[in-house]
Amino acid sequence: MNLLIIRRAFWLGARDYTSIFTWKTWLTNWFVRVVAQVSFFALLGRLIGGPGQTEFLLVGNAVAVAAMLGMYAVNMVSWERSAGTLPLIASGPTRPAIVLASRGSYLILDGTLSASGGLLVTAALFGIPLSWSRLVVVFLLIAVVAASSYCFGLVAGSLLLGFRSIETIVTNVGVVSLMTLCGVNVPMSSYPEPLRWVSSLLPLTHGLGAVRLAMAGELGDAIVPAVQELLVGAGWLALFLLTVTSLVRRGRRTGTLDFAS
């Protein structure tokens, strides 16, 4: 039953997405934006440093696109309450958290494709050498980043179920925070120890480190941060399940599930 609902919720969300983008508009609008965004930071790297700095900023900001799309889960979760569908989901036979998590899970696929494509195109534009034998591993690591960031976005969205008016602000703040704290533009070694500890609990940090190692050919060393990224994502997913379950139980008790802000 749960697998059927997960599959149908995923396709429902994907169908909603195709009402916004066709493959042509995705390529000519969204993907152009991704390439422009990554290229901007790569150009900054070329301006302030050499090829090493350019590659560092290019890879960091390309992988950060996957985290950015994962953070859009904030909108997907809080939208259900504002649309008035949360009471229907809560009255169904499946746990509401499963439905809420599955409906926007297409963002993981979108984030993986956007970040991987952006990395390929901008690396070609800036002459960054890519080993085709390592690209499969790099793409898999980007998918892990997209998934863990999506779980993080789910938690933020669940905490904003009654505050839809600020979800855009929270999403943008979350994206900027991940880009600031997770080693996208500044090496983690430059951060003070307390900040590094906070960063270790966030998605993107370990996954981006694994991508950098994989691109450098250190595939064995990339295993540990890849596993850490998976564990971080699993932790945020568990917190989301607990949070939504608690909120729905309280909503049933107080009769506030149909509230839309």
Side-chain angles (χ1 to χ4, degrees), residues 27-99:
L27 283 174
T28 58
N29 289 273
W30 169 252
F31 190 65
V32 169
R33 174 195 164 177
V34 169
V35 172
Q37 178 175 313
V38 178
S39 296
F40 171 79
F41 286 98
L43 286 170
L44 284 180
R46 178 174 290 181
L47 179 65
I48 64 177
Q53 186 68 30
T54 301
E55 180 176 353
F56 183 88
L57 293 178
L58 186 151
V59 173
N61 284 277
V63 178
V65 171
M68 178 176 68
L69 279 160
M71 279 300 301
Y72 288 169
V74 173
N75 304 324
M76 298 301 302
V77 175
S78 59
W79 180 85
E80 297 291 353
R81 192 168 194 174
S82 67
T85 54
L86 186 58
L88 300 176
I89 294 174
S91 63
T94 304
R95 293 177 62 182
I98 294 177
V99 179

Side-chain angles (χ1 to χ4, degrees), residues 221-244:
D221 293 336
I223 295 175
V224 172
V227 172
Q228 289 174 323
E229 184 76 9
L230 285 170
L231 292 175
V232 167
W236 285 111
L237 180 60
L239 181 59
F240 166 74
L241 296 175
L242 292 173
T243 301
V244 170

Side-chain angles (χ1 to χ4, degrees), residues 95-116:
R95 293 177 62 182
I98 294 177
V99 179
L100 294 175
S102 303
R103 195 176 188 281
S105 57
Y106 68 88
L107 290 169
I108 298 174
L109 177 60
D110 192 11
T112 303
L113 291 175
S114 298
S116 300

